[in-house]
Every structure is written in structure tokens, then in C-alpha cells.
Amino acid sequence: MTDEDSTTGPRTVSRRRLLGAAGVGGAAGIALGVGGYALADARSNSAATQGGSGSGRAALTSLGADAVPFHGTHQAGIVEPMQSTLHATAFDLTAGTGRPGLVSLMKRWSAAAGAMAEGRKPPGLTDDQVALDAGPSSLTVTFGFGASVFAKAGLTAQLPSQLAPLPPFPEDRLDRARCDGDLWVQVCADDPLVAYHAMRTLQRLAAGQAAPRWQMTGFSRAPGATPKPMTARNLMGQIDGTNNPKPGSSGFDTTVFVPGNATAAGQPSWMAGGSYAVFRRIRMLLDTWDQQSLDLQQRTVGRRKDNGAPLSGGPGSTETTTVDLDAFNSDGSLAIPGDAHIRVAAAASNQGAAMLRRGYSYHDGYRPDGAPDAGLLFIAFQADPMNGFVPVQRKLARGDALSRFLVHESSGLYAVPGGASAAGYVGQALLES
Ligand SMILES: C=CC1=C(C)c2cc3[nH]c(cc4nc(cc5[nH]c(cc1n2)c(C)c5CCC(=O)O)C(CCC(=O)O)=C4C)c(C)c3C=C
Ligand SMILES: [Fe+2]
């Protein structure tokens, strides 16, 4: 189970994360290799060993010791199982930062992200010691380029057509100050201090060259909270993520990643091994949602709330039971209603359009009317947004029962280049083109 790459070598992922990745895919997920990763025990290659014998430091727990390599064919933070904490931040280049400044920033950011992913102190600044006692805690850092950065860095000729602005969708209520951005950074970790430290470090390293435009924090399930790894629930109480494309399954790579021969796929060569991230802050109208009957809530999504089984499944069906969009109830009505979220969003309803969703919940206090300012930081990765998010969201905006309980407040689209080799940096193929 190796993902050999001539430039970067095999990527390894820890045993705990591999088992976590199985989730719904179960044993099949492991057999298929969860993205082709080699099975390795992080305790042998991470911060857990740094104390060494005689150092007086106790070994870290498995959670803290788990490490996800920063270097690889693809950037980390896409196919790995979700960690419990997210910091998403968009940066704008400061005036006068052209291509040389961006090169130096991406070099510093990549070096710091690579070190922190191994539980080492980031080079290039005096560490604030916020994460000093913790291991890497499965930290991943994922970098993306917004369309606006290309002109600023003199790279207009390299702008992918896939980065064209997302179309406006009916009912969007976007706050432009919290949309877009020249650069996008997704930091995820299983420890909140480790995640904060990584994001803060990257912000400090950007000083003078890029400044935060917006920042959002999200959360998901903490590892070990459930007796076995399970698909997490969102703040509406639904099991969310079941029918995601499974790493290693047929079509997964072509759905999520730009192929190695990118130009043959109509993409710039520097996007080989890359992906496109769609980011949407979607507020949930939870006071309204929580007043609905269980029956209505289930029919709105098309799945049971308790175990995530599709409404087309009979007795004994589970989350993994195959969805049957053609099934009928005994009264002749569709088992999965015509406007149910999973029917409208399904690839089968959208000429095969699909994406890998990796969203996090957020809760930012209460609004003036007392309602929670809470919802989903929706993140989806795909090889081409026109074959992923765009057609699906167009359809959802027209006829999805769930949309009545949602408000899209912020939006961004970012080109996420392929991963860096240990000697290189993220975006090198673009910035040195
Ligand atoms: C444009 C893409 C999508 C947006 C935006 C979106 C928002 C959104 N979704 C949920 C909750 C669930 N979504 C589920 C499935 C699902 N959602 C999308 C796409 C978008 N969702 C897809 C492609 C799918 C899979 C459809 C299928 O083929 O079955 C589910 C069911 C469980 C699952 O498969 O994940 C839930 C629950 C919320 C709450 C939300 C916005 C806040
Ligand atoms: Fe959804």
C-alpha cells in the first residue's frame, strides 16, 4: 500500500488515522489503501520519540503522536480523515508584494508547515511555544491560490479557467468581506492548541507580505469520542459525509485531483496533482430546524437521523445501505422525496458531478435575535468545480428542501496545487513557470 511518487517518495499515515479513515468504508477502505497510503505507526517517526530514553519526557499519547506528512504528490488535508479542529484563513498580499515576495512567503510557509507536521518547531521565527508540549496531532496545512493573486504576482497567463468566479446562486447572502482572498490556508489538527499555533505561526511568517482577510474556526468530532470511528454529525444532528467518494475507489482520483498530465485535461501543467477547493460559510436556521418533526427532518435530507440509513432502505438498513432513488413507498410516493437533499445533490441527478466534502461545524455566538450564529464551513475538493460544486449547487439552490433552513454567507474558490517535495515548496511549479 504505497503511493510511490518519483519526486517525493511514499507518503505514510499513522495507524490510528488509517483506522479512522475506514469509517463508513470499513474494512474495504483499508483494503483499498485509503488513498494508497503506506501503513506506518506514527509513534516510530514522530514527536513521540523525540524525548528519547533518558530524556525524562513521557511518551505522548497516540492522538498527539499521530503525524500526517506534509510532503507528497497531493497536499495533505484533502483525503485524510477529518481532524477535530479547523482554522480557515484567507490572506491578501500587501501592497508591493509581487512574485518574488510570494515565492519567499510560500517557501517560508512550506518549511514551517513541514516542520510542524512532524512536531518540530517552525524555522524562521522565535516560537511562541503554544504547541510546545504536544505532538503533531495529525496537523495538516493546505494552501490554495485565489484568482485575485494571479494578476498581483504577474501570473495572469497561468490563471486556470477553472478558477473563474463562482456564479451567483439564488438566495446567496454573501458578505463580501468574508469572501475570496488571494491565498487560502486550511489548518486542521486533532488538538486545538496545535491548530491555533500553526495558523498563528503562518500569520506571523506572512507579516509584511500578506495580511489576513478573514478567518474562521470550525470543529468536528474528537477522536475517541465514539466507541468506533464513525461519520461525524453536523449541527442539525445529521450524519454528514456518508456518500462521499471513498479514497481508493474507482473514479476517486479523477473526481478530486487534476491528473499528472494536466494539460491533456485542459488544465495548466502547474496544477498536476492539485485540486480546487470551494469554501462556503453556510449558516443553519437552527431555531426553525429544531422545531420540525423528525419525519420532516428525515424527508428533507432523505436519510434517517439516528443511523443515517437512506429512506429507501427497508428494516435493518444502515448508513451504508445503497441509496435507491427509484424506490417507492406502499402508498406510491417516492421513498426519497423529490426535493430531498440527497436526491437533488446526487451525482446521478447532476450528470455525474461529484466532489469530496470535508466540512466543519462552526458556532460564533448568538445573533441579535438570539438565534445561534452557527452552521457548516462547507469545504469541497474537486478536479474541476464545473464538474463538481457548480452544477450541484445550481440544482440545490432551485429545488432542495434543506435549502429552506440554510443561508450561504461567504464563498471562495481556490486552486490547491499539488504537494511539495521535501526540497521544494507548495506552488513552486506555478511561481517558477
Ligand atoms: C453543492 C454541494 C453541497 C452543499 C452546499 C451541501 C450543503 C449541506 N449538506 C448538508 C447535509 C448533508 N448532505 C448530505 C449529502 C450530500 N450533500 C452534497 C452536496 C452538498 N451539500 C452531496 C453531493 C451529498 C451526497 C449525495 C448522495 O449522493 O447521496 C447528507 C447525507 C449524508 C451524506 O452522504 O453525506 C447530509 C446530512 C448540510 C447540513 C449542508 C449545509 C449546511
Ligand atoms: Fe449536503
Side-chain angles (χ1 to χ4, degrees):
M1 296 201 303
T2 57
D3 182 16
E4 292 291 350
D5 165 34
S6 55
T7 53
T8 56
R11 169 175 280 185
T12 61
V13 69
S14 74
R15 181 182 304 275
R16 190 189 64 76
R17 293 210 67 75
L18 187 60
L19 293 171
V24 160
I30 295 175
L32 288 167
V34 191
Y37 287 160
L39 180 63
D41 190 334
R43 282 166 294 190
S44 64
N45 68 0
S46 77
T49 55
Q50 288 184 3
S53 61
S55 71
R57 283 179 61 183
L60 295 167
T61 64
S62 158
L63 186 148
D66 279 354
V68 179
F70 174 72
H71 303 106
T73 307
H74 311 299
Q75 289 197 59
I78 302 175
V79 301
E80 288 80 11
M82 287 173 56
Q83 303 92 324
S84 60
T85 302
L86 162 80
H87 284 256
T89 310
F91 289 81
D92 283 337
L93 299 188
T94 48
T97 302
R99 198 194 303 194
L102 183 55
V103 168
S104 113
L105 175 60
M106 294 310 299
K107 284 181 177 172
R108 286 200 306 281
W109 271 2
S110 298
M116 293 187 289
E118 294 172 6
R120 291 187 286 114
K121 283 185 186 170
L125 76 184
T126 305
D127 187 44
D128 60 17
Q129 306 197 5
V130 170
L132 191 64
D133 316 304
S137 308
S138 300
L139 173 74
T140 58
V141 179
T142 318
F143 298 110
F145 296 114
S148 53
V149 84
F150 287 78
K152 293 181 185 177
L155 290 163
T156 312
Q158 303 288 0
L159 179 68
S161 60
Q162 290 77 9
L163 260 193
L166 295 175
F169 299 101
E171 308 301 330
D172 273 2
R173 296 285 177 272
L174 301 183
D175 169 5
R176 283 285 154 203
R178 294 200 291 186
C179 291
D180 306 321
D182 293 341
L183 304 170
W184 178 71
V185 183
Q186 174 194 259
V187 168
C188 303
D190 275 332
D191 177 73
L193 281 175
V194 167
Y196 165 83
H197 169 258
M199 196 66 249
R200 166 68 177 147
T201 298
L202 297 173
Q203 183 238 331
R204 290 175 67 203
L205 286 169
Q209 287 174 321
R213 174 183 175 87
W214 56 256
Q215 190 276 336
M216 298 179 204
T217 308
F219 58 91
S220 186
R221 202 81 237 205
T226 53
K228 58 182 170 55
M230 294 173 68
T231 316
R233 291 182 188 268
N234 61 38
L235 298 188
M236 288 174 145
Q238 306 143 351
I239 295 178
D240 193 347
T242 304
N243 233 351
N244 249 336
K246 305 284 180 290
S249 65
S250 133
F252 178 86
D253 278 358
T254 49
T255 297
V256 178
F257 294 114
V258 177
N261 57 345
T263 49
Q267 303 250 8
S269 57
W270 65 267
M271 273 299 287
S275 187
Y276 292 87
V278 170
F279 181 90
R280 308 276 288 189
R281 179 186 175 99
I282 307 176
R283 181 159 56 84
M284 296 170 169
L285 304 179
L286 290 172
D287 282 344
T288 312
W289 173 257
D290 290 336
Q291 285 166 4
Q292 309 304 313
S293 68
L294 179 62
D295 181 58
L296 185 136
Q297 290 187 353
Q298 296 187 148
R299 292 170 51 74
T300 296
V301 172
R303 288 184 178 272
R304 289 179 62 94
K305 205 172 171 187
D306 56 357
N307 66 357
L311 298 185
S312 54
S317 59
T318 68
E319 186 189 355
T320 53
T321 302
T322 304
V323 175
D324 181 359
L325 295 175
D326 299 324
F328 289 90
N329 297 316
S330 51
D331 65 1
S333 60
L334 281 166
I336 296 175
D339 60 355
H341 185 68
I342 63 166
R343 176 185 293 280
V344 183
S349 308
N350 294 286
Q351 286 82 46
M355 69 208 89
L356 178 66
R357 293 166 288 134
R358 206 173 186 277
Y360 282 81
S361 297
Y362 72 89
H363 181 214
D364 284 347
Y366 297 90
R367 295 165 59 83
D369 64 358
D373 186 0
L376 185 71
L377 301 177
F378 176 90
I379 300 172
F381 293 96
Q382 58 253 279
D384 182 347
M386 289 306 292
N387 298 329
F389 176 82
V390 173
V392 176
Q393 180 55 28
R394 270 205 184 110
K395 193 150 206 165
L396 287 173
R398 278 200 306 268
D400 169 30
L402 189 62
S403 296
R404 293 189 289 120
F405 304 98
L406 307 175
V407 184
H408 289 238
E409 294 188 332
S410 133
S411 176
L413 171 63
Y414 309 95
V416 174
S421 67
Y425 61 94
V426 173
Q428 185 169 8
L430 166 67
L431 294 167
E432 297 182 11
S433 59

